[in-house]
């Protein structure tokens, strides 16, 4: 049993942040309330401290705010229209033009490939950076959502975010102030997912 008196305030805080973090979707944001850029920089700085094998630091971000959200909306809708082929849906196209405008900031998540490092390690490092972003946003009382929808898996979209063909576009991180709170999260007990050998 853990002695509650011996737990540091940092441990209590990180436990609380991890357990109460939730994805907050764009329709729950307050669309007229921008997040100060200083907070966005703090989110990005914390992402930069994620674990990274051989310190390749593979994460690459592009930040869209203000009028930049409209630029992203138009560009991603145009890419989707041009390259979706038979999977094209008009409703999805219209949604791509509207969703960025509901956010304060949108951060694209890219992974810069290093040939001498296994790809899985670079993907894991970038995902760890996004977890740091999620926890930081939550600590500031912000809503955040990592989406791998839209144009994430359209190869031609990479160039829009200064990614080379061998790199990966890993999605979009949507940020905003929370107008409509979400529900409590649920997880199955960890004991069902652990095989412990002593």
């Amino acid at each position: 049993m853990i002695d509650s008196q011996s737990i540091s305030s940092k441990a209590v805080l990180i436990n609380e942040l991890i357990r109460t973090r939730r994805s907050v979707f764009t329709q729950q944001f307050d669309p007229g309330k921008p997040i100060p850029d200083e907070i966005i920089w703090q989110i990005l700085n914390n992402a930069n401290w994620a674990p990274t094998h051989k310190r390749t630091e593979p994460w690459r971000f592009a930040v869209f705010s203000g009028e930049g959200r409209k630029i992203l909306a138009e560009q991603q809708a145009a890419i989707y229209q041009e390259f979706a082929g038979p999977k094209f849906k008009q409703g999805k196209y219209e949604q791509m033009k509207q969703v960025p405008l509901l956010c304060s900031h949108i951060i694209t998540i890219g992974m810069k490939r290093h040939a001498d490092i296994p790809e899985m390690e670079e993907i894991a490092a970038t995902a760890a950076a996004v977890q740091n972003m999620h926890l930081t946003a939550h600590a500031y009382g912000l809503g955040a959502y990592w989406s791998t929808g839209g144009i994430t898996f359209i190869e031609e979209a990479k160039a829009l975010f200064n990614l080379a063909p061998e790199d990966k576009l890993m999605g979009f991180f949507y940020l905003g102030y929370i107008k409509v709170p979400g529900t409590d999260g649920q997880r199955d007990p960890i004991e069902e997912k652990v095989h412990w050998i002593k």
Side-chain angles (χ1 to χ4, degrees), residues 80-81 87-97:
Y80 174 70
Q81 186 175 44
K87 294 183 179 180
F88 178 84
K89 294 180 181 174
Q90 186 65 32
K92 187 173 181 179
Y93 171 78
E94 297 297 335
Q95 187 180 37
M96 286 184 179
K97 293 175 77 171

Side-chain angles (χ1 to χ4, degrees), residues 114-166:
H114 298 84
D116 57 335
I117 302 292
E119 184 182 57
M120 182 274 291
E121 293 182 3
E122 302 284 66
I123 291 171
T126 305
V130 176
Q131 175 70 344
N132 283 4
M133 293 165 68
H134 254 303
L135 293 175
T136 306
H138 180 43
Y140 278 96
L142 303 172
Y145 170 51
W146 181 5
S147 171
T148 56
I151 60 172
T152 300
F153 300 108
I154 296 177
E155 285 295 313
E156 291 82 1
K158 292 178 182 178
L160 183 61
F161 309 112
N162 297 317
L163 296 171
E166 66 273 15

Side-chain angles (χ1 to χ4, degrees), residues 41-112:
W41 277 115
Q42 187 62 66
I43 290 169
L44 293 165
N45 269 303
N46 286 353
N48 200 41
W49 284 97
T52 167
H53 188 54
K54 293 192 177 180
R55 286 195 54 202
T56 58
E57 303 174 27
W59 43 82
R60 295 293 184 274
F61 305 115
V63 182
F64 294 84
S65 64
E67 291 298 305
R69 298 170 306 149
K70 295 178 183 177
I71 293 169
L72 174 63
E74 293 299 326
Q75 289 178 334
Q76 71 175 1
I79 287 172
Y80 174 70
Q81 186 175 44
E82 183 175 356
F83 297 106
K87 294 183 179 180
F88 178 84
K89 294 180 181 174
Q90 186 65 32
K92 187 173 181 179
Y93 171 78
E94 297 297 335
Q95 187 180 37
M96 286 184 179
K97 293 175 77 171
Q98 294 301 318
V99 166
L101 307 182
L102 301 175
C103 306
S104 169
H105 292 70
I106 305 101
I107 302 174
T108 64
I109 304 161
M111 184 273 284
K112 184 74 177 169

Side-chain angles (χ1 to χ4, degrees), residues 157-187:
K158 292 178 182 178
L160 183 61
F161 309 112
N162 297 317
L163 296 171
E166 66 273 15
D167 301 335
K168 283 200 179 300
L169 177 59
M170 292 179 57
F172 300 85
F173 196 69
Y174 297 110
L175 286 155
Y177 281 101
I178 302 170
K179 186 175 183 180
V180 181
T183 57
D184 290 339
Q186 294 182 335
R187 292 290 187 274

Side-chain angles (χ1 to χ4, degrees), residues 2-4 6-22 131 135 138-139 187:
I2 298 174
D3 178 6
S4 60
S6 69
I7 300 175
S8 73
S9 59
K10 288 181 181 178
V12 172
L13 177 59
I14 195 64
N15 289 346
E16 179 71 10
L17 281 172
I18 289 170
R19 291 177 184 170
T20 58
R21 183 214 60 79
R22 301 287 176 267
Q131 175 70 344
L135 293 175
H138 180 43
R187 292 290 187 274

